[in-house]
Amino acid sequence: MFRKIAIIGCGMTKFGRHEDKTLTDLMTESSLEAIRDAGIDEKDIGAIYVGNMLAQELNKQTLLATVLADQLALYNVAVDGISNGTASGGSAVRNAFLAVASGFCDIALVTGVEKMRGSPRDKVTDLIATMSHPSEYVQGATLPSLAAMFTRLYMQKYGVERRHLAMVAVKNHSNALKNPYAHIRKAVTLEELLSEDNPKNPVVADPLRLYDCCPMSDGAASLILCSLEEAEKIVDTPIVIAGIGQASDNPVVCEREDPTVLEALRRASQQAFKMAKITPKDIDVAELHDAFTILEIAESEDAGFFKKGTGHKALEEEVTSLDGELPINPSGGLKARGHPVGATGVAQLVELTWQLRGEAEARQVKGAEKAFSCNLGGFASNVLAFVLARGD
Amino acid sequence: MKGFRCEGCGWISTVKRVVCPRCGGKKFQEVYLSGECRLLTFTRLYAVSEGVKDMPLTLGVVEFDNGARVLGQITSEKVSVGMKLRLAWGLLRVVDGKKIYGFKFKPEN
């Protein structure tokens, strides 16, 4: 159908607060790191895709890809901005994949970037809320409020308790301590997260508290994609993008037949596994879109790793811990690595590339050969899924 | 509150569509949602958006007897799953300086 594609370079900025850096600084930094990592010259790049959601509103900047091309003095190649809500990063990767797989270009640079700190919180919350359906937006629905109502349904239906939500946060914060790129590098304990009157963990939208929600972050992440055939000549360990899936769902979450099922994720991951010709059982490590603690549990089920309603049990049995059978979010996830929205889908694949190359240092999942990620737009109304594999 | 009933499968939504997400039907009939509904899930939101005044803002998902599910503001903080609600009308929020009015839900009595 089309040629196989590999990741030959990756890079990212530290996620967190970057008061002294512009959007351009951030995306240039991660792009240069990816170019250096691949060992190519910027002149080898035949297309640039930049994923971003909020720059027009928060940073008064559009045409980010043009600015990045200018930094690299690449004026004779196609450069595109990709905006698909919080799935912008994943969508940018998919578009770059298509450009190289089709043979339209040989090497593509894909960069996801966002700069959210320094803007008023209620403004950012409102902009993120525009991903909900207009009929829900006018009611004041926000992503945390949708996640809270989803959590309450989950608790009723599957017996998930607050302590399970806290376990996701404890695990991902602990993983992030081993990730120098993570936004939040602070261990938290179950006791402090389950305390009803911890001033550091106020209620955001009951039953969700602050530590159930990912932070708003600044940061950028980049990948260099190349045909596998060429990749083998350039790098020792090309990481193959073995499967990609993308699907959508009714954006009015409450109208979904079973509102506790992330149907778009089911469809996208089934597509990705089918394309990669493997099953969820073959996956050694996964990066899931844990914008809220409950989402890591729900996604671990709907991506196909655990039976519906049992994700919290796998979590409790430490199956998803760094030294478990299927480590989830070794990077710290959105929860602790941070969530510069347009960068997240790319950053997940940067982490998995490091994992599959064996370069993830203290958070390395031993012997990882196959990896999975999912990047959610809206409340899982537009989902991308990826399967990566070590080139052989 | 206006709704749209799919003539193919009877599914009702408050969103106007050209194809039914459940059965693929393309014919819809306008219906009106009124009377009692039941609260399925809710939250009290403390981190509200720009343009929302209530703090906390109580939001919930209700189900009408005909199966239609709707997300909306609830006029009281004292809520519980399964409680009966009715339609109300009021200011929802401000968007770009413009006041938006619409349906909300209020506890019976």
Side-chain angles (χ1 to χ4, degrees):
Chain A
M1 181 167 57
F2 43 66
R3 49 185 183 165
K4 287 192 171 177
I5 299 304
I7 295 166
I8 59 167
C10 62
M12 62 186 282
T13 67
K14 187 185 183 314
F15 280 7
R17 196 184 184 97
H18 286 292
E19 269 170 275
D20 52 337
K21 287 179 183 167
T22 64
L23 268 179
T24 308
D25 294 335
L26 292 170
M27 60 182 174
T28 305
E29 183 183 324
S30 68
S31 301
L32 285 180
E33 201 186 311
I35 291 167
R36 199 163 41 233
D37 182 51
I40 60 166
D41 190 272
E42 65 271 7
K43 290 183 193 68
D44 299 328
I45 293 168
I48 299 177
Y49 291 87
V50 173
N52 172 267
M53 176 182 178
L54 301 166
Q56 179 169 5
E57 291 278 350
L58 295 183
N59 321 103
K60 297 293 172 197
Q61 192 177 340
T62 56
L63 290 187
L64 304 189
T66 311
V67 171
L68 180 57
D70 178 56
Q71 286 290 314
L72 302 174
L74 283 175
Y75 301 112
N76 200 28
V77 303
V79 296
D80 277 308
I82 303 288
S83 192
N84 192 23
T86 43
S88 297
S91 282
V93 175
R94 185 174 176 280
N95 278 277
F97 176 96
L98 295 177
V100 186
S102 67
F104 208 82
C105 68
D106 291 320
I107 292 181
L109 163 66
V110 47
T111 293
V113 66
E114 209 73 63
K115 192 165 156 61
M116 310 164 77
R117 307 294 307 193
S119 300
R121 191 205 47 76
D122 63 340
K123 183 180 180 177
V124 180
T125 300
D126 186 47
L127 290 172
I128 301 274
T130 60
M131 291 192 297
S132 62
H133 191 275
S135 64
E136 301 184 325
Y137 174 80
V138 296
Q139 293 284 341
T142 62
L143 270 289
S145 71
L146 295 176
M149 289 187 274
F150 179 86
T151 303
R152 201 178 292 283
L153 289 176
Y154 232 85
M155 288 173 150
Q156 287 166 23
K157 190 163 179 184
Y158 305 113
V160 170
E161 297 168 28
R162 267 217 47 84
R163 66 190 175 93
H164 296 110
L165 305 180
M167 279 175 204
V168 174
V170 169
K171 170 178 75 67
N172 292 354
H173 277 254
S174 159
N175 291 352
L177 278 177
K178 298 176 172 134
N179 182 359
Y181 293 89
H183 181 168
I184 298 175
R185 305 188 68 198
K186 190 181 103 184
V188 287
T189 65
L190 271 186
E191 294 68 40
E192 43 183 326
L193 297 190
L194 291 177
S195 154
E196 291 292 318
D197 52 4
N198 178 353
K200 287 178 182 160
N201 193 24
V203 175
V204 171
D206 68 324
L208 300 183
R209 289 175 176 262
L210 186 65
Y211 277 85
D212 290 304
C213 309
C214 65
M216 292 174 180
S217 318
D218 303 334
S222 300
L223 296 171
I224 304 284
L225 305 192
C226 173
S227 73
L228 180 59
E229 204 183 331
E230 284 302 307
E232 281 163 347
K233 297 174 197 161
I234 302 173
V235 294
D236 294 334
T237 316
I239 302 303
V240 181
I241 301 182
I244 295 190
Q246 185 173 13
S248 64
D249 197 357
N250 185 346
V252 186
V253 180
C254 69
E255 286 190 347
R256 295 175 185 170
E257 203 153 358
D258 180 344
T260 64
V261 172
L262 306 174
E263 196 61 49
L265 171 61
R266 286 191 179 180
R267 295 187 186 112
S269 37
Q270 281 162 16
Q271 289 173 21
F273 284 121
K274 190 178 169 196
M275 180 172 158
K277 297 190 180 76
I278 62 168
T279 71
K281 284 192 180 65
D282 299 315
I283 295 295
D284 303 308
V285 54
E287 284 281 310
L288 304 184
H289 190 109
D290 57 330
F292 304 99
T293 47
I294 188 69
L295 280 179
E296 181 176 301
I297 295 171
E299 290 164 19
S300 71
E301 299 161 358
D302 291 322
F305 300 117
F306 310 114
K307 208 175 140 237
K308 193 68 189 170
T310 66
H312 64 292
K313 290 180 182 145
L315 170 78
E316 196 167 4
E317 287 157 12
E318 300 184 359
V319 174
T320 61
S321 300
L322 200 48
D323 54 0
E325 230 171 285
L326 176 67
I328 290 179
N329 287 324
S331 68
L334 281 60
K335 181 72 209 55
R337 176 187 52 212
H339 188 25
V341 293
T344 286
V346 184
Q348 292 173 318
L349 296 174
V350 169
E351 172 68 16
L352 294 178
T353 299
W354 284 331
Q355 289 287 347
L356 296 184
R357 285 180 184 168
E359 295 173 357
E361 300 180 344
R363 62 189 191 286
Q364 179 65 46
V365 174
K366 274 185 201 142
E369 289 186 356
K370 292 190 167 58
F372 174 90
S373 74
C374 63
N375 184 200
L376 272 56
F379 200 81
S381 53
N382 191 324
V383 176
L384 286 114
F386 296 88
V387 172
L388 300 188
R390 277 178 71 102
D392 42 24
Chain B
M1 182 180 251
K2 203 192 273 185
F4 304 90
R5 181 201 296 271
C6 169
E7 288 187 8
C9 67
W11 185 67
I12 296 170
S13 172
T14 55
V15 177
K16 192 176 180 180
R17 288 188 180 82
V18 291
V19 181
C20 172
R22 294 285 166 91
C23 76
K26 290 180 181 169
K27 281 189 180 163
F28 296 87
Q29 201 181 10
E30 265 188 35
V31 293
Y32 287 88
L33 304 174
S34 60
E36 214 177 69
C37 53
R38 195 172 65 90
L39 186 62
L40 296 182
T41 183
F42 66 89
T43 187
R44 283 158 292 224
L45 177 62
Y46 290 84
V48 295
S49 282
E50 196 176 51
V52 174
K53 254 185 160 175
D54 289 349
M55 179 82 145
L57 175 71
T58 309
L59 289 168
V61 170
V62 303
E63 189 169 58
F64 286 88
D65 286 344
N66 59 17
R69 289 190 213 131
V70 184
L71 177 148
Q73 295 183 5
I74 303 171
T75 57
S76 167
E77 279 176 51
K78 287 181 190 145
V79 286
S80 56
V81 169
M83 77 187 287
K84 305 284 187 198
L85 298 165
R86 280 187 179 277
L87 284 172
W89 182 265
L91 175 67
L92 298 176
R93 66 178 295 178
V94 175
V95 178
D96 289 336
K98 202 176 138 195
K99 288 179 176 172
I100 310 279
Y101 291 84
F103 285 106
K104 306 180 171 197
F105 299 98
K106 63 175 182 193
E108 282 205 316
N109 311 318

